[in-house]
Amino acid sequence: MISVEAAQELLEQEVETDALRKHMLAVAAIMSALAAKLGVTEEEKEQWTLVGLLHDLDYERTKDEFEQHGLMTAEMLTGKLPDACLDAIRAHNKMTGYEPESAMAKALVAADAVSGLILPTALMMPSRKLVDVRPKSLTKKFKDKSFARTVSRSHILICQELGLERNDFFALALDALLPLSDDLGV
């Protein structure tokens, strides 16, 4: 299995956009927190983190053929991650035809979506800082369908299939991202 350090190097090689790198870092942190909350083993927790870190590795390459997004990443990572991880990466994009069935896959879909709500919310705060975002702030933005329009609210709600209520998921994700505030630029 690829190490976190090797995965970070691969991310640096394959992803040009700083915003996408930050997104992937955020999803990795949320995935790690979800794994800890759900009580997976340390080895599995590392896998969840790697899935979050690498899930969009092909995003820039597949933006014009979005049905390939996730499939190309899984191909690139074959032999470097267990099949369950590759399946989660494939399933995070509905256009691939794969469904998120495992807890890891569902967590990735929810973490991917919630990060797309949290970071813009932080930028809307007067301080432009993550430290000022509260679950209540996210609930307000969640309900405002014109805010972060591309973020799937139904994907965020997949957290309920993992046994987490929406506000608890918001709190968990915020707590996971706070230590990365400087790296995320918020």
Side-chain angles (χ1 to χ4, degrees), residues 1-2 11 15 23 55-56 59 61 65 81 83 86 90 111 117 124 128 133 136 143 150 155:
M1 186 169 78
I2 191 170
L11 185 143
V15 178
H23 163 72
H55 77 285
D56 278 346
Y59 185 84
R61 292 185 192 186
E65 300 176 87
L81 288 177
D83 288 343
L86 302 178
R90 288 182 192 104
L117 185 66
M124 295 299 294
R128 298 181 59 85
V133 179
K136 185 177 179 179
K143 291 178 180 177
T150 60
H155 286 179

Side-chain angles (χ1 to χ4, degrees), residues 84-178:
C85 296
L86 302 178
D87 288 344
I89 289 169
R90 288 182 192 104
H92 92 279
N93 174 12
K94 283 190 173 194
M95 292 179 70
T96 63
Y98 287 81
E99 290 294 323
E101 295 175 4
S102 69
M104 181 192 296
K106 290 175 183 182
L108 179 58
V109 171
D112 191 22
V114 80
S115 72
L117 185 66
I118 292 173
L119 299 179
T121 300
L123 293 173
M124 295 299 294
M125 302 305 287
S127 66
R128 298 181 59 85
K129 294 291 181 189
L130 188 60
V131 70
D132 293 326
V133 179
R134 302 284 179 265
K136 185 177 179 179
S137 314
L138 293 175
T139 298
K140 184 177 178 182
K141 295 300 185 185
F142 178 90
K143 291 178 180 177
D144 179 357
K145 304 292 189 242
S146 67
F147 182 79
R149 289 186 316 266
T150 60
V151 173
S152 170
R153 274 52 175 177
S154 64
H155 286 179
I156 290 172
L157 292 176
I158 289 176
C159 68
Q160 295 170 339
E161 295 179 38
L162 300 169
L164 290 168
E165 290 304 318
R166 185 186 68 207
N167 284 346
D168 294 335
F169 181 46
F170 287 164
L172 178 139
L174 285 169
D175 288 346
L177 296 182
L178 274 174

Side-chain angles (χ1 to χ4, degrees), residues 15-72:
V15 178
E16 294 179 16
T17 311
D18 189 49
L20 182 56
R21 287 180 184 162
K22 288 176 181 178
H23 163 72
M24 294 165 75
L25 183 63
V27 175
I30 296 167
M31 287 291 288
S32 180
L34 279 168
K37 176 75 175 174
L38 297 174
V40 305
T41 67
E42 279 303 310
E43 182 182 350
E44 289 171 323
K45 182 179 175 187
E46 185 172 335
Q47 291 173 13
W48 285 47
T49 302
L50 287 166
V51 164
L53 188 61
L54 298 172
H55 77 285
D56 278 346
L57 204 56
D58 65 8
Y59 185 84
E60 293 166 335
R61 292 185 192 186
T62 59
K63 59 185 168 194
D64 294 328
E65 300 176 87
F66 205 66
E67 66 281 356
Q68 294 299 307
H69 173 54
L71 299 177
M72 187 182 291

